[in-house]
Structure formats: structure tokens, C-alpha cells
Amino acid sequence: MKYIIKKLLTLILTLFFISVLVFLIFQVIPGDPALSILGTEATDEQVEALREQLGLNDPMPKRYFNWLTGVLTGDLGKSYRYQESLNEQMAVSRLIAGKLPVTLTLAGLSLLLIIIFSIPIGILWGGTKSRALDGVLNVLSQFTMSVPSFFLGIIIIYVFGLIMRWFTPGGYVSYREDFWGYIRYMLFPAITVAVPKVAMTAKFLRNSIITQLKSDYVRTAYSKGARRFRVLFVHVLKNAMIPVVTFIGIIAAEIAAGSIVVEQVFGLPGIGRLLVSSISTRDYPVVQALMLYIVSAVVIVYFVVDILYRYIDPRVEEQ
Amino acid sequence: MVKILEVKNLNVYYKAKSKSIFARPERKQVLFDVSFDVNEGEIFGIVGESGCGKSTLSKTILGMNPLYDGSIVHNSVKPQMIFQDPYSSLNPAWTIGRILSEPLLLSGMKDKAEVKAAVYDMLGRVGLDESYYGRYPSQLSGGQRQRVSIATALIARPKLVIADEPLSALDVTIQAQIMELLMELKKDLGLTYIFISHDIDVVYQLCDRIMVMKDGRVVEIGETIELFENPENAYTRQLIDA
């Protein structure tokens, strides 16, 4: 419990520094938000009035504080570009809330696929004595790791979408309309994200198992009379999984941050695509909010991994 | 005298790494025509330089090395082994209680209360109290871990125990304690030890008979005192003088 509180305080402190950094970066970027909103034809008086209204003339600490209060209460400002109606800009929080479920579903499904496939493959790979199987898996993993995801996405669209007709390419269905249709469509981008990560994770687990199998406690287990199957599953697996949990954590953080390429290839309205379009249109409030989300997601996932770690590795306690 | 272990004309091989996956795996012989007997109740020492085949021999006696010919007959329960390095030979993810329970569970004991009672009894015999049951190896000192290793080896009540350099990873003061413990347990439980070491002084103090090995072959077998006073082989003499 003390450990969790300590980690939680570290997390909060980290998030605070991140917020300062994200805020400062967007102070330094040239360009006047008031001018961006009003356009080049606005008069100086109009710009000055809006600057006053937006609080841009306040001193920096006050502006940071106002911004942070906004973030914590869910007010991330208004998009420069997206409009709710003719004369009202869309709130960034609403904009992201519409896109985030797609990215999170993609991340969740991919992570599920990674765990379901990489762990059995890794165990089989690490536990096998067959050099032929080891060789086959080695070639297969090298291959899947090296195929770029946009290309894998195109292949999957071609094979499963155009030939097998298991889904309609580009025919994204919103989860509000048809939940199972949505999951069914999301499965294919999730496979695209998962395939190279499955290969990496399986290889990582395999190496971890092989290292563990060489250790002395395995020899002790054999001398007690344990057989290979028992040694692998009862003795080695838990020790071998410890570094793999961290590895999966890193992957989870990566995919929670959104897969820009895969969202683009499959035409998913997720935050990856929003990020690309916001950067190209200089929609800074959106970029700022997305940056805050991505960095926070990574930090929070690492926090969860740290907590999980403690439950599977008894040695963490005394360190 | 009753013989507890008889080894006759033992040849042991290892699978050598083949150069390509298509080549037939080659065998590399590591023990050559090893024969010896161990009498019940004695301490039988095996000495030799590292790499002479001592550890291979003990692994083969325990049935952990399938590639051999010749005969190994042990007239008792399955022999057990105490390993050299108490830091790495215990599973770091398991509690002491679980480590000690495993040999009993593998030997078919089902009743949980019975297993637990046996584990507590064994902990007491090696001088550790019941509070150690729930601890992890990383929370123990080297000497305490070696006590756990000894308890693990003895809990299934073997008659023959192979101790592979059980002292060499420990501090000198702890070495003496562990040695004393091993002697006490030998008396209490009626054990026979095969004591593997490269330390000629320890072997001289402990063992009734000694077998000297070199390059996978037996050089000389004899009573300790006789062997030390009157070594027949030049290599044995060299080892004693060193």
C-alpha cells in the first residue's frame, strides 16, 4: 500500500511537469491565437478585444493556472478549425471525446490479440527442443517484424476485404450505430497493429524462457524429480514473464498513443488522424490537448505496469 | 558392508553442437569407464580439478543425463543433491515453504497438513524457525539459503545425498556451521554422503574414502588416510601437495 501511494505521488508529480512542459511549448510557438481565430481581415481592435477575452494578456503563471483548471474540469479550449455551428467553434474536449473511443478500441483489441497470441507462441518457442521449429519461428518472426504496417494494412485490406469480403474496406461503422459491426471492422486494423508486436513479444518471451531454463534453480527442480513440462510451466514461466510484462507495457503505451499510420490506412476516425490533420492546419488547441493525452497515457500505462510488477515479482519489495 | 550405490563401467556423453541443422548430432564423451561403490553410512569424497567430470558424474547418478552406458544401481530411495551456489539454485519466485513442499508433492504426498508438518519439521532440523515458511530466497543470507537447499534435498528422506561443493560459495565462518549441520543430519537421519570438492583439506577432514578423478577418468580410489600417506598415483600426490 505504501508502495502504491509512493508511486501515485510520483505519477502526479510527473503529470504536473508534463502539463507545464506542454503549456510552455505552446507559448513558445509563434502565432497569435486571436489572429488565427479571427482571420487576417480582422482589425487590431477586434484582435485586442479577443485577446483580452481569451485571457492572453494575463501574466504567464496566471494563464498556466487558468489553463490547468480548464484541463482538470474538462475544458480544453476551442478548436480553431472545427465548428460546432456557423458562428461557434467546437470544444476540443468534445472533438477528442468523439475520436478517443475509436483509438482506445483499436489499442484494446490489439493488446488483447498480442497477449492471446504472443504468450502461447513464446512458450512453445522457448520450450521446444526442435531446432526445425525454432528455425521456422525465427524466420516467421523476422519477416513479420520487418513488414511496414502500412503495407501489412494494405495486404490485409486486399486479402480479407477485397478477396474474402469479410469486411468492407473504408466502410467504418460507428459503435453508436452497430456495435458488433464496429468491432468486426476494428478487428482488421487491430490485427495490423498486433502482428509485428506479437512477433516481438513472442521472441522476447522465448529469450526470457531460454535464459531461465539455463539457471541453477531449474537444475535443482530436475534433481527434485520434476519433469520438463512441470519445470517449464510451474518453475520457469513466472520468472520468465517478469521482463515480458514490462515489454508488453511499453507496447501498450505505444498503441494507446494511437497508431497514426494504421488509422490512416483503414480510414478510422481516431486521434491519430485528428493529430495529423490538426498539425497540418495549425489547430494548436487540438494538438496541445492530444499531446497532453498521449504523454499522460504513456505515463499512466507505465504506472499500471509498475503496480502489476510488484504483484508478480516478490523481489521488488525489498529494493 | 552394505553397498548403497554401485557404478560399473560408466561412460557418459554429451550431445556436441552440430555444425549445421542437417548434420547428425555428434557425441562427445566426457566420462570414461568409471567404476566405484559407495557403502552405506560413509562419506565418499570425489576430488579433481574443475572440468574433470565430477558434476557430470553426479548429474548422471541422479538420472539427469540420459546419454550414458554402463550400470548405475542405487539400493535406496532416489538420491538427492545439494548444489554449490545457494543464491541461484532456489527459484526466486517461490516461497521457502513452496520450495520445500515440492519434493513431497512430486513423491505423491497429497495431504496438505501432512506436507506442511513435514516442511516445518525439516526447517527445524536445519536450524530455521517456522517464520521462514513464507519468505522468499532473496530475503535470506547465503548461509540460510544453503540450509534451505539442504532441507530441500533431505525432505523426501533419501538415504544417499550428493553434495556438490556445498561449502565453496560460503564465508569461512558459515562453512564451519554448515559442515557441522551436515554431520548432525547424517547422524540423525542415517545418511550416506557423496561429497564433491576441489578443496583437498575439506575432503581430508570429512571423508572416509576418496576417489580422485582426472579428465573424466578415475585415477585412484582409497581410504582417506591411506591415500594421503601413500598415494599410488603421481597425480594424486600432486593434488595433495598443492
Side-chain angles (χ1 to χ4, degrees), chain A residues 98 101-102 168-175 177 182 185-186 266-269:
Chain A
V102 177
T168 319
Y172 167 79
V173 207
S174 170
Y175 55 96
E177 291 162 25
Y182 167 70
Y185 187 82
M186 293 300 284
F266 282 85
L268 298 179

Side-chain angles (χ1 to χ4, degrees), chain B residues 39-89:
Chain B
N39 301 320
E40 198 176 326
E42 75 172 342
I43 303 181
F44 185 82
I46 300 178
V47 278
E49 294 164 338
S50 54
C52 73
K54 295 171 296 187
S55 295
T56 305
L57 178 60
S58 54
K59 274 171 125 177
T60 311
I61 293 169
L62 286 171
M64 287 159 69
N65 192 348
L67 277 178
Y68 71 89
D69 54 53
S71 85
I72 301 170
V73 181
H74 38 81
N75 309 314
S76 73
V77 217
K78 186 182 177 306
Q80 289 292 332
M81 188 146 180
I82 300 166
F83 291 101
Q84 176 178 10
D85 187 355
Y87 289 92
S88 58
S89 62

Side-chain angles (χ1 to χ4, degrees), chain A residues 216 220 224 230 235 239, chain B residues 78 83 88-89 91 99 102:
Chain A
D216 285 353
T220 311
K224 283 177 179 176
R230 184 181 167 85
H235 285 266
N239 288 308
Chain B
K78 186 182 177 306
F83 291 101
S88 58
S89 62
N91 189 337
I99 289 170
E102 195 186 25

Side-chain angles (χ1 to χ4, degrees), chain A residues 131 212 215-217 219-226 230 234-236 238-239 242 312 314-315 317-318, chain B residues 18 21 59 62 64 78 80 83 85 88-94 98-99 102-103 106 136 138-139 152:
Chain A
R131 296 184 61 183
Q212 291 291 330
S215 58
D216 285 353
Y217 73 84
R219 190 185 54 184
T220 311
Y222 278 122
S223 85
K224 283 177 179 176
R230 184 181 167 85
V234 184
H235 285 266
V236 163
K238 196 175 164 190
N239 288 308
I242 291 169
I312 57 167
R315 280 169 301 186
E317 193 175 4
E318 26 149 14
Chain B
S18 48
I21 52 168
K59 274 171 125 177
L62 286 171
M64 287 159 69
K78 186 182 177 306
Q80 289 292 332
F83 291 101
D85 187 355
S88 58
S89 62
L90 305 173
N91 189 337
W94 285 23
R98 191 168 174 206
I99 289 170
E102 195 186 25
L106 286 172
Y136 287 96
S138 55
Q139 297 167 305
T152 314

Side-chain angles (χ1 to χ4, degrees), chain B residues 2 5 10-11 33 56-57 71 75 80 92 128 134 157 159 163 190 194-195 200 210 229 236 238 240:
Chain B
V2 186
L5 178 74
L10 182 70
N11 293 295
D33 198 31
T56 305
L57 178 60
S71 85
N75 309 314
Q80 289 292 332
L128 299 173
R157 293 299 151 94
K159 285 291 156 203
I194 293 178
F195 197 92
I200 203 87
I210 293 173
E229 286 178 353
T236 312
Q238 192 190 323
I240 293 166

